[in-house]
Amino acid sequence: MGEEMHEKKRVPAIRFAGFTEPWEQRKLENLAVFNPKENLPDEFEYVDLESVVETEMLSHRTEKKATAPSRAQRLARLGDVFYQTVRPYQKNNYLFEKTDKYYVFSTGYAQLRPYNDGYFLFSLVQCESFVKVVLDHCTGTSYPAINSNDLAKINVFAPINAHEHKKIGKIFRNLDNLITLHQRKCDALKKVKKSLLQKMFPKEGSVVPEIRFAGFTEAWEQRKFGDLYERVTEKNDLTYGIDKSITVASMQYKKDGCITNEDYLRTYTICLLGDIVFEGHQSKQFRFGRFVENDLGNGIVSHIFMVFRPKTDYDLYFWKYAINNEQLMRKILSHCTKASRMMNDLVIQDFFKESMPVPTINEQQMIGHFFYKLDQLITLHQRKLDQLKTIKKSLLQQMFV
């Protein structure tokens, strides 16, 4: 009975048909050559620890052998696995499959040249169970690290049959390719959206956008914010409970609301659908703070936020993208905010005097609907991407021992 249980522990939960033998426990050095020594070429592309993020090589730089950093020592060959030995929990590891140039990696990576399928080994070292074992062998707390010799001695389980290595490697290669495809689609759509947000709203000093829908030719009308919005001072009379408390930064109802004091709930400000809220946090993207429109639904926000309500006919989605558009709002907010500690305070009277170009309601609706549908498309691809990542995470747990 004990032997049978031991055998079960050496078999993955999900397995390809035709493979029945228990996996072998082996040291990692039995699956790959560690840090093979080779002479460096006179010129190469250098890959340091910042170059690889989440299995993708984002950057590299050309170096001469004579002047390259001393850490440039790992000459890459097709199929090599590079394992980040510093902060391994980040899993910024890389399977090298480039053929265009010479690439040399930093000694911050352990170089593994697999005896069998490279993608099997690459997937194995991405498993959470493997990372936990590595962290147990690391030294340091802020920057946990493991040296290559200790990494090589770590015990892992692997199939005896080389064909099983290849079949497992192939399924994770195909899954990673699918993830990369959807990631690129998401990134491309986000770039398109960013570009169109610049071109479908007037640039500073202009009252006509660069790109317009057919049939619209007249200039956008300069409107003062005092004519468009009014300050909301209405407090919560307990019509709204904590379940309708809105997180302004993400414009979502709080899921972990824990306020039970009714008196405190009464300090919250009513925020209806279409209202805009000023968030004064400074950021790289929004130097003077930003406005966020409530496209979520009726609710309440903390008394620290200023809320404004539309006074005129408006399109919900046009104003969602207009009021949060840094190209439109940056100069306006620079004139009507004052800096405080880590925040910007909105000066209401100055804000009401500022103006921005506004199109007719028909053009608002066309622009708003366009960006709403574009966001839906981005969300669709993001959900597919998240689903694929969840599937991969599950398979990494169930297809390895």
Side-chain angles (χ1 to χ4, degrees), residues 293-304:
E293 186 195 56
N294 179 3
D295 64 335
L296 177 66
N298 296 346
I300 51 176
V301 297
S302 170
H303 64 278
I304 66 172

Side-chain angles (χ1 to χ4, degrees), residues 234-241 265-270 300:
E234 182 185 2
K235 296 298 179 182
N236 184 24
D237 60 1
L238 302 186
T239 297
Y240 300 102
L265 272 177
R266 291 179 188 276
T267 69
Y268 274 55
T269 304
I270 300 292
I300 51 176

Side-chain angles (χ1 to χ4, degrees), residues 28-29 40 45 47 53 70 84 87 130 145 148 158 181 184 206 221 227 243 311 319 331-332 346 370 389:
L28 200 57
E29 65 184 355
L40 300 185
E45 297 302 305
V47 182
V53 177
S70 61
Q84 178 181 279
R87 291 183 288 184
F130 178 80
S148 292
L181 175 65
R184 286 175 179 165
S206 176
E221 184 184 358
D227 297 329
D243 61 315
K311 294 166 62 174
W319 283 99
K331 187 173 182 180
I332 291 168
L346 185 72
F370 174 81
K389 287 181 177 180

Side-chain angles (χ1 to χ4, degrees), residues 181-198:
L181 175 65
H182 280 285
Q183 184 67 67
R184 286 175 179 165
K185 284 182 178 178
C186 272
D187 293 343
L189 285 169
K190 288 174 182 177
K191 286 181 181 178
V192 168
K193 178 184 173 182
K194 182 178 180 181
S195 176
L196 290 176
L197 282 171
Q198 294 173 344

Side-chain angles (χ1 to χ4, degrees), residues 15 51 158 205 273 285 376 395:
R15 205 170 186 187
S51 299
L273 184 71
Q285 185 180 0
Q376 281 191 320
L395 289 178

